Amino acid sequence: MTSLSLTFFTASPRVLSFPLFSSFSSSLNVNLPPPSSLSFRSGAGRFASFKVEEMSKMLQDVESAQKTIFAASAAQDERKKSLSIGEVNHSRAFLDARTEQELLSGISKEVKAGRLPSNLAALMEELYHNYKNAVFSSGKPGADELVLSNMAVTFDRVLLDMEELFQFQPYHKALREPFDYYMLGQNYIRPLIDFSNSYAGNISLFYEMEQKLQQGHNIILISNHQTEADPAIIALLLESANSHIAENLNYVAGDRVLTDPLCKPFSMGRNLICVYSKKHMFDAPELIEMKRKANTRSLKELALLLRGGSQIVWIAPIGERRAVSFCGAGLSVAREISFSDIASAFENPEEAKEAYSRVLYDSVTEQYNVLKSAINGKQGLDASIPSVSLSQPWN
C-alpha cells in the first residue's frame, strides 16, 4: 500500500496539499506508514519545510550551475549515442523469447555467458513470478501475453545496463529515444492498477496546477513516499486528464533508484534531480564528501531549473519495503494553504514552520482518509466530503 502527500507553492505565497494513495507498490512487500506533509512553491519565496540557509545556498552561484547544466546536457547527448550503439550489439535473449520457459531460461543463459551476476538473476526470476501473480489476479484477458511482453522488455533493459552501464547525471532528463523508458514504466505498472477502484480528488485543481505551469510558475511537491512505483502511479492516474503534469514532473531521486539494477530502467524514464539521502549519507565514511559535493551540484541544477520557470518538482523523503499487487490507487489535491497567513501568528520563524507543517499534515491526512475509505473501505465516490470531491477522470 502506498500513500503520498503533496503540497505546492506558486509564485505567490500559496500552498495546496496533495496526497496519493495506492494499495500496491513495486517489487516485494509493503507496510503503510501514516501520510507525511508535503509542500510546494515557486522560486520567489521560502520553502517552509526547508532551512533558509539551504535554500540560500541552492540559489547561489547560478552562473556556475548553468555551466554544469550545459555540461550535463552534452553528457546526456553522449549517453544517448552510447545507448544507440549499445542497442546494435545488444543480446536479444529476452526480446526473442516467445514463452515463459524461454524467458526464464534466458536468465540462466545470460548468467553462463557472464553478462548477468547470479544474485541479480535470482532477483529477476523472483520479480517475474511476483509480477505474474499480481497481473493474473486482475482477471484481465490476455494476462499471460501481457506479463511475458512487459517482463521481456524489462529484463532486456536490465541486461543492456549490465552490458553498457548507465550513469545518472545530477539532473537527468527522461530518456524517450532511441528507447522510450517513460513508456516502459507506464506499460509495466498499468496492469497493476485497478482503475475501477481508483479515484482522483478535486481533479479541477490539477487543471489549475497545469495553468500555473503554463503561466511560468514553479510547483514543488513535497510528499511521503513508499516505493519506486509512485511516479508511475501519479503519471497513470493523471495521464488522461492532465498529461502535461504526468510527463513533465521532475522527481528528486535517492541513490537506491539510481543504482538498483531492477529500478534503473524505470528511473531512466523520469526527469530526476539525483541526490544522496541523509539517511544513507554516512553508510560509507569514505564516500561522505563525494556525496555532499554531488548533492550540492544537484541543488544547483534544481536552482537553475526553477530560475527558468514552469517546472514541477516532486520531493519524497520516505521509503518503505516494495511489493507487487493488483489494487486501486488514488490521489487528491486540496485548496491552497498560505504560509504567510499561518506565520503571521508567530514571532519565532521555527514555530511558524512547525505550525505550517502541522496544518499541511492535517490537510493531507484528511484527504488520505477519504481515499482510504473510497478504496479500501469500498465506499467509492460516496466517500467524498465537502473538501474532497472524488471522481474517475479516466472513465
Side-chain angles (χ1 to χ4, degrees):
M1 185 178 294
T2 303
S3 166
L4 303 181
S5 310
L6 311 177
T7 312
F8 80 79
F9 295 80
T10 60
S12 55
R14 311 188 319 157
V15 177
L16 301 177
S17 62
F18 166 63
L20 181 142
F21 173 98
S22 105
S23 308
F24 91 90
S25 49
S26 76
S27 81
L28 300 168
N29 267 324
V30 71
N31 292 321
L32 176 68
S36 301
S37 68
L38 74 141
S39 57
F40 78 82
R41 83 181 291 172
S42 74
R46 293 181 305 167
F47 284 81
S49 302
F50 291 90
K51 293 181 180 178
V52 177
E53 315 89 76
E54 292 177 351
M55 290 305 299
S56 176
K57 291 178 182 178
M58 187 182 78
L59 295 174
Q60 290 174 359
D61 200 8
V62 174
E63 181 178 356
S64 173
Q66 190 167 10
K67 293 177 181 178
T68 305
I69 280 282
F70 291 151
S73 178
Q76 182 127 328
D77 288 340
E78 287 301 315
R79 291 200 306 278
K80 285 183 180 179
K81 292 179 182 178
S82 177
L83 285 172
S84 297
I85 295 172
E87 297 279 355
V88 175
N89 301 317
H90 174 48
S91 168
R92 293 186 56 87
F94 298 116
L95 292 181
D96 290 339
R98 294 295 177 264
T99 65
E100 175 182 292
Q101 183 178 359
E102 289 181 5
L103 183 69
L104 296 178
S105 64
I107 297 177
S108 300
K109 290 178 182 178
E110 294 303 318
V111 171
K112 292 179 181 178
R115 288 186 288 263
L116 278 179
S118 57
N119 59 339
L120 176 58
L123 291 174
M124 290 169 67
E125 187 166 346
E126 178 184 12
L127 176 60
Y128 174 84
H129 291 295
N130 287 343
Y131 186 76
K132 175 184 175 181
N133 291 338
V135 175
F136 273 46
S137 70
S138 70
K140 294 180 179 179
D144 50 351
E145 292 89 352
L146 187 61
V147 169
L148 181 63
S149 174
N150 283 349
M151 292 308 304
V153 177
T154 299
F155 287 171
D156 176 72
R157 295 296 103 182
V158 172
L159 179 60
L160 178 61
D161 189 55
M162 291 295 102
E163 297 172 344
E164 195 75 32
L165 188 64
F166 184 85
Q167 304 245 344
F168 291 89
Q169 295 298 310
Y171 175 64
H172 169 78
K173 190 70 175 173
L175 290 174
R176 306 297 300 266
E177 57 182 26
F179 177 86
D180 195 336
Y181 283 89
Y182 173 82
M183 288 309 301
L184 167 69
Q186 298 299 94
N187 293 337
Y188 182 86
I189 298 299
R190 193 186 309 275
L192 299 177
I193 296 181
D194 180 1
F195 285 95
S196 66
N197 189 35
S198 297
Y199 303 92
N202 302 328
I203 193 66
S204 63
L205 296 183
F206 287 103
Y207 292 109
E208 179 180 315
M209 291 168 67
E210 287 198 339
Q211 291 173 354
K212 291 297 181 183
L213 291 171
Q214 293 170 2
Q215 294 166 6
H217 296 284
N218 292 317
I219 295 175
I220 297 176
L221 306 167
I222 301 176
S223 169
N224 61 311
H225 172 39
Q226 280 185 256
T227 77
E228 298 87 346
D230 292 342
I233 296 171
I234 294 173
L236 286 166
L237 294 183
L238 292 179
E239 67 177 358
S240 61
N242 304 96
S243 59
H244 180 80
I245 292 177
E247 295 196 33
N248 290 280
L249 260 171
N250 297 290
Y251 299 88
V252 175
D255 44 306
R256 180 184 183 184
V257 298
L258 306 177
T259 57
D260 186 323
L262 295 181
C263 298
K264 285 181 67 177
F266 301 104
S267 300
M268 290 163 68
R270 308 291 164 177
N271 303 318
L272 304 178
I273 304 293
C274 305
V275 299
Y276 291 94
S277 68
K278 289 184 178 180
K279 180 179 180 180
H280 299 292
M281 182 64 69
F282 303 101
D283 288 355
E286 69 277 9
L287 299 179
I288 293 175
E289 189 59 27
M290 180 277 291
K291 292 181 178 180
R292 284 175 173 165
K293 289 181 178 179
N295 282 353
T296 298
R297 291 195 300 271
S298 296
L299 288 175
K300 289 181 178 180
E301 301 277 10
L302 176 57
L304 189 59
L305 284 174
L306 296 179
R307 284 292 178 102
S310 299
Q311 298 295 325
I312 180 167
V313 181
W314 186 76
I315 302 173
I318 297 171
E320 294 295 329
R321 292 185 299 150
R322 293 176 284 176
V324 179
S325 62
F326 173 76
C327 64
L331 72 163
S332 173
V333 62
R335 286 288 175 186
E336 64 190 64
I337 301 172
S338 169
F339 175 67
S340 59
D341 288 349
I342 295 172
S344 63
F346 299 87
E347 294 184 2
N348 187 317
E350 294 301 318
E351 291 180 356
K353 287 189 284 187
E354 287 293 329
Y356 178 66
S357 295
R358 286 195 297 272
V359 172
L360 292 180
Y361 183 89
D362 290 343
S363 174
V364 165
T365 300
E366 178 183 59
Q367 294 176 81
Y368 173 83
N369 287 336
V370 170
L371 294 172
K372 183 178 180 180
S373 296
I375 300 170
N376 282 6
K378 305 300 181 182
Q379 294 183 28
L381 298 176
D382 291 338
S384 299
I385 60 176
S387 59
V388 183
S389 176
L390 299 179
S391 64
Q392 295 179 312
W394 42 86
N395 286 338

